[in-house]
Amino acid sequence: MPVAALGALTDHKMTQSAIYSRVVGTGSYLPARRVTNQQLADELATRGIETSDEWIVARTGIKARHFAAPDQTSSDMAVEAAKRALDMAGLNADQLDLILVATSTPDFVFPSTACLVQHKLGIKNGCAAFDIQAVCSGFAYAMATADNFIRSGAYRNALVIGAETFSRILDFNDRTTCVLFGDGAGAVVLQASSEPGVLSTALHADGSYANILCVPGNVNAGAVQGAAFLYMDGQAVFKLAVKVLEKVATEALEKAGLASSAIDWLIPHQANLRIMSSTARKLGLSEEKMVVTVDQHGNTSAASIPLALDVAVRDGRIKPGQNVMIEGVGGGFTWGAVLFRM
Ligand code: UT7
């Protein structure tokens, strides 16, 4: 038995009839409007806000981001990413048993973005559909949730999406946050398989840090009560992110019985190149093993990991049989990792 399969015994208990979940398709979508740092800096200057390409690149690694059109929603982008993932998987939308959308920028308070995606994909089979709200860890949470549904035998085909229009919750008068985020969507199709697939998952949260990264508003009597803009204590988030990303990756590796050297590709949440590089270093991985899209996408929250995964699958870097570690960290505070074999 290969070492990795032995490792899988510890987390995803293997029996004669073990079911695993496996990624059989990936897809992504970026809105057409691409805004470089210089373009954003020029736009902000007209409001008297000072920033520069140099500052943004040096502090974050971001060079550009995409912003959705005014009439474009998270579900619109999710559908485009989903179609591409379904196409790669060779599945019809009606073969899906489950749709999960990780988002903090849903189209509406309700219904869920997942229900809107189901309808826009023309699905009539009544499959389960719901949103997952774990901010930038949302995709790791959603993938772990779908993995559990599939391993339990409840469902066979799951569509897992991360989709965000963070541009809608950015305060373009706050230079400490508005230069960091972008819009987009990424998706995977997870399918039941006798071979792994997902090797281990690890999810965590600590609500005592709710105030360091939040949109502290709600709808009340037809108006927003509180603030409808993203607030972040960047340094507090930075310190916590560096700590938990290493810890949760190590936990996922231990659950799978694997050493970090078994990771072929590391896909951390794409928030800040400095955080990502520090995580790779702490895991003893060279930067060449890390997929980086933050430079071109900015921080797209729950969409960042599936966007990066799809880019690296489609450009041929990630190959069948390779081990991929995804890990997210974000508001809540939440963090999580999923280790899987392509
Ligand atoms: O997605 C969820 C996870 N999120 C993250 O992981 C984000 C974590 N945090 C970060 O990535 C970093 O903390 C930031 C990129 C947000 C900020 O970087 P930093 O190195 O922590 O900068 P700072 O907040 O310490 O600010 C340094 C200086 C300040 O000026 P003074 O006080 O030193 O004079 C800021 O006012 O940079 C100034 N500054 C800017 N200058 C030009 C802040 N934003 C800007 C800006 N342009 N856009």
Side-chain angles (χ1 to χ4, degrees), residues 93-113:
D94 260 312
Q95 290 174 275
L96 291 171
D97 308 303
L98 173 67
I99 300 173
L100 298 181
V101 177
T103 186
S104 301
T105 45
D107 294 21
F108 303 118
V109 173
F110 69 81
S112 70
T113 306

Side-chain angles (χ1 to χ4, degrees), residues 151-167:
R151 283 192 301 109
S152 74
Y155 297 132
R156 198 176 155 68
N157 294 313
L159 176 62
V160 185
I161 304 172
E164 302 280 16
T165 37
F166 256 55
S167 59

Side-chain angles (χ1 to χ4, degrees), residues 231-244:
Y231 166 81
M232 178 165 74
D233 176 345
Q235 289 192 1
V237 171
F238 193 107
K239 281 185 202 135
L240 214 52
V242 167
K243 194 169 94 186
V244 299

Side-chain angles (χ1 to χ4, degrees), residues 50-51 55 59-60 136 175-176 179-180 213 232 234-235 237-238 269 271-272 274-275 299 329-330:
E50 203 182 310
T51 188
W55 189 95
R59 300 284 176 147
T60 70
C136 302
R175 68 175 183 173
T176 69
V179 301
L180 305 175
L213 179 49
M232 178 165 74
Q235 289 192 1
V237 171
F238 193 107
H269 168 47
N272 185 319
R274 290 188 290 147
I275 298 175
N299 180 348
V329 58

Side-chain angles (χ1 to χ4, degrees), residues 104 133-138 140-141 181 202-215 230-248 269 271-272 275 279 299 301 327-337:
S104 301
Q133 163 53 295
V135 202
C136 302
S137 311
Y141 266 70
F181 295 89
L203 303 178
H204 294 283
D206 183 345
S208 70
Y209 289 105
N211 61 334
I212 65 172
L213 179 49
C214 52
V215 180
L230 179 148
Y231 166 81
M232 178 165 74
D233 176 345
Q235 289 192 1
V237 171
F238 193 107
K239 281 185 202 135
L240 214 52
V242 167
K243 194 169 94 186
V244 299
L245 283 174
E246 187 214 354
K247 246 177 120 174
V248 79
H269 168 47
N272 185 319
I275 298 175
T279 305
N299 180 348
S301 192
E327 46 173 357
V329 58
F333 211 73
T334 56
W335 61 102

Side-chain angles (χ1 to χ4, degrees), residues 35-43 52-54 63 65:
V35 179
T36 64
N37 289 346
Q38 194 55 56
Q39 287 168 327
L40 186 57
D42 291 345
E43 213 171 293
S52 65
D53 176 49
E54 293 72 30
K63 295 175 184 160
R65 76 286 293 139

Side-chain angles (χ1 to χ4, degrees), residues 218-225:
N218 57 54
V219 177
N220 190 337
V224 173
Q225 182 169 294

